[in-house]
Amino acid sequence: MIGPGSPSVFATRGGQDWLVYHYYDAYSAGDAWLQIRPLIWVDGWPVTGSPLVSVPGESGPPGA
């Protein structure tokens, strides 16, 4: 994953916050991808959860 950027945060009607951003896949000639992660709040600070889409170079399913 190279060049992650253009983050945006949104909330669903159920109250779950999400972080969405783009990145380029270093393992696939720089193909552009979109990543979505749940955003969890810990002591008032945002922490990203497991990705919904597998991250390039990581083995196994997201969050494994």
Side-chain angles (χ1 to χ4, degrees):
M1 182 183 296
I2 55 176
S6 299
S8 184
V9 175
F10 71 95
T12 60
R13 289 185 182 171
Q16 173 65 56
D17 292 330
W18 297 90
L19 176 67
V20 179
Y21 58 95
H22 78 270
Y23 66 91
Y24 301 100
D25 184 346
Y27 295 96
S28 183
D31 289 343
W33 286 87
L34 182 71
Q35 185 58 266
I36 304 170
R37 294 176 182 253
L39 198 56
I40 304 159
W41 296 91
V42 177
D43 296 326
W45 290 92
V47 177
T48 58
S50 297
L52 295 186
V53 177
S54 295
V55 175
E58 289 186 3
S59 60

